[in-house]
Amino acid sequence: MKIRIVGSCGSGKSTLARKLSREYGIPYFEIDNMIWNREYEGVRYSQAERDERFKDTLEMKTWIMEGVQFDWTTESFEQADVILILNPSVIIRDYRIVKRFVLSRTGFQQWNYKQSVKNLCKMMIEWNHGYDVAKVIEVTNPYANKRRIIKRSDEALDYINSLKSLRMNLLLEFR
């Protein structure tokens, strides 16, 4: 199964991807880690390296891919069996962003990069309040038959489990 998760900063993409990965034994990938070289602070991979990492992931038999990106990642929507657009309320996202900031700054939670107050402001204003979910919906309209817009991770699990049950019933029916 191939699952693509998209949503704003603080929407719960990484948490959901980890949960689904554990539940179904499917490897998950953060698109940010295809962009940023985590060995160095603030260093991006070249566009060619980014695209190669992305392509390598797409070629895998199964994957869960999560990220805010939707412009250059359309092939992941094409290949995905399920597209989950996470869209919890902006207040919940703000809370999660601040919580992550505090936990990472105090050392209680590891994060991919060093959190700063400047970055916190950018996450909340630009990447959260400025996130254009309508554009994501527009970009994924050609795949509406496999897309679900959800507010909570349990909705994702229910939806995927219903798909698995449907597939099993169809397989049994055509035996």
Side-chain angles (χ1 to χ4, degrees):
M1 180 173 277
K2 295 181 177 184
I3 302 169
R4 177 64 162 89
I5 303 170
V6 63
S8 70
C9 185
S11 63
K13 298 176 304 296
S14 298
T15 301
L16 178 58
R18 283 191 297 271
K19 184 184 259 187
L20 293 174
S21 179
R22 281 192 306 271
E23 179 81 17
Y24 301 113
I26 301 170
Y28 81 93
F29 302 90
E30 297 176 26
I31 294 175
D32 276 354
N33 291 336
M34 297 175 193
I35 298 170
W36 296 98
N37 183 338
R38 299 300 187 187
E39 292 179 32
Y40 308 100
E41 184 89 18
V43 175
R44 289 177 182 251
Y45 290 111
S46 69
Q47 187 172 332
E49 288 174 296
R50 175 200 77 182
D51 292 349
E52 184 177 335
R53 290 169 182 275
F54 181 68
K55 184 177 175 286
D56 288 347
T57 303
L58 288 175
E59 290 175 354
M60 297 176 70
K61 185 176 178 180
T62 62
W63 46 255
I64 299 169
M65 200 179 303
E66 65 88 352
V68 300
Q69 304 80 359
F70 56 87
D71 47 359
W72 60 271
T73 63
T74 53
E75 195 174 348
S76 64
F77 299 126
E78 293 169 18
Q79 287 195 25
D81 299 303
V82 176
I83 300 167
L84 300 171
I85 299 175
L86 297 184
N87 193 30
S89 79
V90 72
I91 294 167
I92 289 171
R93 297 188 318 251
D94 280 342
Y95 168 77
R96 290 174 178 167
I97 292 166
V98 171
K99 179 182 171 186
R100 178 171 56 204
F101 175 80
V102 170
L103 290 174
S104 68
R105 289 292 291 206
T106 56
F108 287 104
Q109 183 181 46
Q110 283 290 100
W111 199 243
N112 290 334
Y113 52 89
K114 185 172 168 71
Q115 300 270 343
S116 67
V117 173
K118 180 181 176 185
N119 188 259
L120 172 66
C121 292
K122 187 173 189 170
M123 279 192 275
M124 290 183 73
I125 295 166
E126 185 179 331
W127 298 343
N128 184 18
H129 292 256
Y131 192 73
D132 192 354
V133 72
K135 182 68 176 168
V136 176
I137 292 168
E138 180 185 322
V139 168
T140 59
N141 270 339
Y143 319 106
N145 63 322
K146 57 183 178 178
R147 176 188 70 197
R148 230 359 161 236
I149 302 165
I150 60 174
K151 294 194 176 294
R152 299 181 327 271
S153 63
D154 61 328
E155 293 176 71
L157 290 169
D158 291 346
Y159 177 61
I160 291 169
N161 283 332
S162 72
L163 290 175
K164 289 181 75 175
S165 295
L166 177 65
R167 285 183 182 156
M168 291 302 287
N169 289 339
L170 287 172
L171 285 173
L172 292 173
E173 201 173 297
F174 289 104
R175 280 192 161 179

